[in-house]
Amino acid sequence: MSRIVSAARRLSAGLFTSVFLYSFNPSAAFAQQSASPNLLPPVEVGPSERTARPPAVRHTSDKPERGRVVRALRPVPPVSPPVAGISAANLFPTVVVSPTGIVTPTNLVASSVTVLTARDMERDQRRTASDALSAVPGLNLVQTGGPGGQTSVFMRGTNSNHTKVLIDGIDVSDPGNPNRSFDFGQLLTSDIQQIEVLRGPQGGLYGADALGGVISFVTKKGDGPARATGSVEGGSFGTFNQTAGLSGSQDHFNYAFNVAHFRASDVPVTPVELLPPGQKAIGNSYDNMTYSTKLGADVSESLTLNGVARYTDATLRFTGDTFDPVTLASFPAAAQSTQTVHQLFTRGEAVWSILDDRMKSYFGVNYTNHWNHNISPGDAMPTITTGDRVKYDWHTTTRLAPNNNVIIGAEHETETLQTATVSAQNVNKAGYMELQSQFVDRVFFTANVRQDDNERFGEHPTFRLTSAVIVPVTDTKFRGSYGTGFKAPTLNQLYVSFPAFFFFANPNLKPEESVGYDAGFEQPLFNDRIRFGSTYFRNNITDLIQSTFDPVTFTSTNTNIGRAITEGTESFVAAAITDRLRVRADYTFTRAVDATAGLELLRRPKEKWSANVIWNPIDPLTLSATVLHVGSFVDGNRDFSIPRLLAPAYTVVNVAAEYLVTDQIKVFGRVDNLANVRYQNPTGFLQPGLGVYGGIRLANYDVR
């Protein structure tokens, strides 16, 4: 831990001269409730879209007893309904945790963060995480076909394994995956309360894997009288989805139980032009069952126990590739392969509060298990890979003075890889600290520093600094950040060889490293009925792990030889045209270059823009439309026999409608890919064409 002490000293001047700064009101953060993302209270975003009048501040009681779980309080601006476009944080600030580890209103955050709420996802009827994230600025999603296909996210031009993914504070990356990434194609959204997309290097708080940023999913938490919900939906491609849930709170106990079933039985994903003469395309079939729960109990005035668990059982039948033994050409197979995925994510946590809630300590243990079973036609045996992670963590949040918060924490993590031929394990220990401060309601500052000590590659320090200033009179917000990140070599890269293909692991790999910064502004107008802004970002990545070929021995291995530069801008404008009509548009420009070869990186479109319109023509009816444009990008063909080609741009239009029949019944419907655009992303895999869906949602009260 010697380096973290040294790094802390280098930052000490900035940290401790800022300790007097006047921070945000932490009354919600220091209630008897964890500041970890998994234990956030339910987040309500603004008034109902069918209500023209803003509500008062929401909470469970005007004078909550000490030790009682309360909702995070949010300031309510004196304006009409919020602009609820792709981000819910336009005019009505939500609260976020991922940028600082402390519950903070988005308008007080200096980092670039996009918030999607349960209301956003339900209104637009986004059933999977990949659908929900598709229009978020700074992200490019790549999915091999329809639902259930391998789904990767490229954030701000960084690699698909450079994004840290959390569900209720649990690191859900797969230690058994070759690049230790998370497959977004398996994650359903029916129990998700909020998604926070935090952009920029976040190593100072999150350690390895967060070179591009962090995506944090927060599940729903029970609150109030028992509430039972259910929904049924059907439509194109053999889609038949159902959900059921029970949630609520009683005295000092809260609970939430959810079950979701997603099925699409015939999704065409294979381009006909790739098939041999006379061979018919077979549509993908996907079936996903997800079970989740979140529980919490106030054992005493100073002790709270919380737990979350999530289990997914999914099966995908898809068309793989086969080879002509004579020409060695690759083409889609005539029979389907099967992939079965079991995922278990759990966390238990104890929250201990002392000094009149000025100091709160969190003690947690996480366990994740990824079990992947793959078998293709002609295989004698399936390929089974298991990745486990056990993590113990502690952190303490202390209010040094009014509105000045310090976090100190430590972690111990063990991850394991198990295949038919390899069993490998790695241990990482880490310590970190952070200061978050605010000065006279208009200057915000955060600094954190972290030291990771990995048994395979040694010690690695990281840090991050952010600051924001709101200018008097104009209320212009200027913000900027500077930070570092790194990506540890995966167990696959270190120990898994494929001698039959003359590929060998490299146990001497070093971490990939990055330095990144951004700077931007936001400007509200007309009492915040209009807001626009832009952010410039840049990342310099070194020691990228890339495969190299030795022409003498005819063998391949991974080495640290790559360098990359990614930079660009993220811009938006949002407006409440009337109390019933709201719009938002986002534009992202990205330049991602292999600095070693001087070539554009694959699957990083230079341009991406989206527009979202929400209209409430009458109180019970909500209409929404989203237009997503993804510019052309460099890609390889399906088997990469053509390593570089230009994939064409595409534009997709989705529309949705919902009608509140009563407080207990809602009917809804949507049309995806309204113009039936035929496009591939990645190249060689069709995305679904025109799809029409409809259904009904029920609740014993307050259907949402």
Side-chain angles (χ1 to χ4, degrees):
M1 301 294 289
S2 60
R3 292 189 183 180
I4 192 171
V5 174
S6 176
R9 288 174 178 170
R10 289 195 298 269
L11 288 173
S12 60
L15 289 173
F16 293 103
T17 55
S18 301
V19 76
F20 68 94
L21 297 182
Y22 187 74
S23 174
F24 76 101
N25 189 331
S27 57
F30 292 97
Q32 182 62 24
Q33 183 66 35
S34 171
S36 302
N38 61 306
L39 301 169
L40 267 176
V43 178
E44 297 182 11
V45 183
S48 165
E49 291 171 353
R50 292 175 289 273
T51 304
R53 216 170 31 185
V57 174
R58 303 171 176 84
H59 47 78
T60 53
S61 64
D62 289 338
K63 296 181 180 180
E65 299 175 1
R66 187 177 182 273
R68 179 181 176 90
V69 176
V70 300
R71 296 187 187 183
L73 305 183
R74 293 185 297 103
V76 179
V79 297
S80 293
V83 178
I86 195 169
S87 169
N90 301 326
L91 304 181
F92 243 92
T94 60
V95 294
V96 291
V97 173
S98 57
T100 63
I102 301 174
V103 178
T104 308
T106 53
N107 58 332
L108 308 185
V109 171
S111 298
S112 295
V113 59
T114 294
V115 178
L116 300 176
T117 69
R119 180 68 191 118
D120 294 328
M121 290 177 277
E122 184 54 41
R123 182 195 59 240
D124 295 334
Q125 300 170 40
R126 302 296 92 189
R127 306 306 182 206
T128 66
S130 54
D131 287 340
L133 294 170
S134 60
V136 172
L139 303 187
N140 183 45
L141 270 74
V142 176
Q143 184 173 45
T144 56
Q150 173 69 41
T151 305
S152 303
V153 168
F154 298 84
M155 184 181 291
R156 284 187 168 178
T158 61
N159 285 346
S160 60
N161 61 347
H162 288 167
T163 298
K164 191 90 162 185
V165 183
L166 308 173
I167 299 179
D168 287 329
I170 305 166
D171 181 352
V172 294
S173 60
D174 184 0
N177 188 296
N179 66 359
R180 197 173 55 221
S181 60
F182 176 70
D183 181 5
F184 289 86
Q186 312 301 327
L187 182 56
L188 306 183
T189 60
S190 62
D191 67 331
I192 302 299
Q193 176 65 41
Q194 182 159 299
I195 306 176
E196 301 175 14
V197 181
L198 174 63
R199 296 181 287 276
Q202 307 294 330
L205 195 59
Y206 292 100
D209 302 348
L211 284 77
V214 173
I215 299 179
S216 176
F217 297 84
V218 182
T219 61
K220 296 176 181 178
K221 178 178 180 293
D223 182 49
R227 183 170 179 270
T229 63
S231 69
V232 177
E233 178 184 55
S236 302
F237 312 119
T239 296
F240 187 51
N241 306 329
Q242 310 91 46
T243 68
L246 177 65
S247 63
S249 61
Q250 181 69 37
D251 297 327
H252 300 290
F253 178 70
N254 62 82
Y255 57 91
F257 304 95
N258 292 279
V259 179
H261 176 228
F262 182 102
R263 188 188 76 180
S265 60
D266 187 14
V267 183
V269 300
T270 305
V272 176
E273 62 271 17
L274 299 183
L275 296 170
Q279 181 175 316
K280 293 184 178 180
I282 307 174
N284 279 12
S285 173
Y286 181 62
D287 195 275
N288 180 312
M289 287 292 303
T290 295
Y291 312 86
S292 63
T293 184
K294 175 178 281 189
L295 306 172
D298 292 330
V299 179
S300 68
E301 289 188 352
S302 60
L303 180 63
T304 297
L305 300 179
N306 301 283
V308 293
R310 185 183 194 87
Y311 178 74
T312 297
D313 181 356
T315 299
L316 173 67
R317 291 180 173 84
F318 65 98
T319 300
D321 292 334
T322 189
F323 294 88
D324 187 316
V326 178
T327 64
L328 299 181
S330 172
F331 53 88
Q336 287 188 315
S337 301
T338 301
Q339 177 191 47
T340 302
V341 173
H342 295 167
Q343 297 175 342
L344 175 63
F345 309 139
T346 64
R347 175 177 173 85
E349 184 178 72
V351 186
W352 183 41
S353 175
I354 60 174
L355 301 179
D356 218 14
D357 283 352
R358 290 194 298 272
M359 178 178 289
K360 301 179 77 67
S361 296
Y362 308 91
F363 306 88
V365 57
N366 304 328
Y367 173 72
T368 67
N369 174 269
H370 294 258
W371 183 84
N372 296 275
H373 176 286
N374 293 271
I375 188 165
S376 298
D379 287 352
M381 296 287 291
T383 300
I384 300 176
T385 304
T386 303
D388 293 328
R389 178 181 290 106
V390 178
K391 179 180 175 181
Y392 302 93
D393 60 74
W394 155 80
H395 72 274
T396 294
T397 302
T398 305
R399 182 172 44 172
L400 297 177
N403 306 314
N404 287 270
N405 304 302
V406 167
I407 296 179
I408 300 177
E411 301 173 356
H412 183 285
E413 177 182 278
T414 302
E415 60 180 26
T416 305
L417 164 69
Q418 186 74 47
T419 71
T421 58
V422 174
S423 180
Q425 180 177 287
N426 194 17
V427 176
N428 188 82
K429 302 174 185 178
Y432 60 91
M433 60 182 179
E434 177 183 85
L435 171 69
Q436 182 192 43
S437 295
Q438 177 181 341
F439 178 65
V440 293
D441 295 331
R442 291 190 176 270
V443 179
F444 317 105
F445 174 78
T446 303
N448 53 52
V449 60
R450 177 181 171 117
Q451 175 76 13
D452 284 85
D453 187 359
N454 189 287
E455 68 175 6
R456 301 296 179 186
F457 62 81
E459 297 182 348
H460 202 98
T462 48
F463 71 92
R464 180 170 174 82
L465 301 170
T466 69
S467 184
V469 177
I470 298 179
V471 179
V473 182
T474 65
D475 283 338
T476 307
K477 180 180 179 180
F478 293 100
R479 54 182 173 79
S481 70
Y482 184 92
T484 60
F486 73 102
K487 170 71 178 179
T490 71
L491 292 173
N492 264 271
Q493 293 168 338
L494 294 171
Y495 303 114
V496 178
S497 299
F498 299 92
F501 297 93
F502 301 99
F503 182 89
F504 297 92
N506 182 358
N508 298 314
L509 288 171
K510 301 182 297 181
E512 301 170 324
E513 301 189 29
S514 76
V515 174
Y517 58 88
D518 60 27
F521 77 96
E522 292 185 17
Q523 178 64 60
L525 296 173
F526 306 114
N527 200 22
D528 215 1
R529 295 188 68 89
I530 297 177
R531 180 178 287 265
F532 63 92
S534 186
T535 299
Y536 170 80
F537 64 86
R538 181 183 174 96
N539 295 294
N540 296 315
I541 307 173
T542 57
D543 287 329
L544 278 172
I545 297 174
Q546 295 180 332
S547 178
T548 58
F549 175 73
D550 188 333
V552 177
T553 62
F554 294 98
T555 60
S556 298
T557 189
N558 286 316
T559 55
N560 294 96
I561 62 169
R563 294 189 302 116
I565 297 173
T566 72
E567 65 176 345
T569 58
E570 297 159 351
S571 305
F572 79 95
V573 59
I577 305 300
T578 70
D579 288 348
R580 292 184 178 273
L581 179 63
R582 298 167 297 282
V583 299
R584 178 179 173 111
D586 288 275
Y587 175 80
T588 302
F589 175 83
T590 304
R591 186 178 74 93
V593 178
D594 180 337
T596 303
L599 299 173
E600 288 184 34
L601 296 178
L602 301 183
R603 298 175 179 173
R604 276 77 156 183
K606 285 187 176 181
E607 291 187 300
K608 171 185 172 181
W609 59 261
S610 63
N612 182 258
V613 180
I614 303 164
W615 183 33
N616 303 113
I618 57 177
D619 286 348
L621 179 63
T622 301
L623 305 175
S624 68
T626 301
V627 181
L628 172 64
H629 174 84
V630 176
S632 59
F633 54 94
V634 178
D635 199 0
N637 65 344
R638 183 173 171 124
D639 65 355
F640 272 80
S641 58
I642 303 175
R644 297 184 69 86
L645 54 81
L646 187 64
Y650 61 87
T651 304
V652 178
V653 178
N654 302 321
V655 297
E658 60 180 18
Y659 185 83
L660 188 65
V661 181
T662 70
D663 185 54
Q664 298 175 315
I665 302 174
K666 177 192 290 184
V667 294
F668 55 84
R670 75 180 189 278
V671 180
D672 288 344
N673 197 352
L674 181 64
N676 196 28
V677 176
R678 310 300 288 175
Y679 68 100
Q680 302 175 26
N681 185 12
T683 303
F685 296 88
L686 280 176
Q687 296 301 308
L690 174 70
V692 181
Y693 310 87
I696 185 171
R697 181 177 299 278
L698 306 173
N700 61 327
Y701 71 92
D702 189 23
V703 66
R704 301 168 188 168

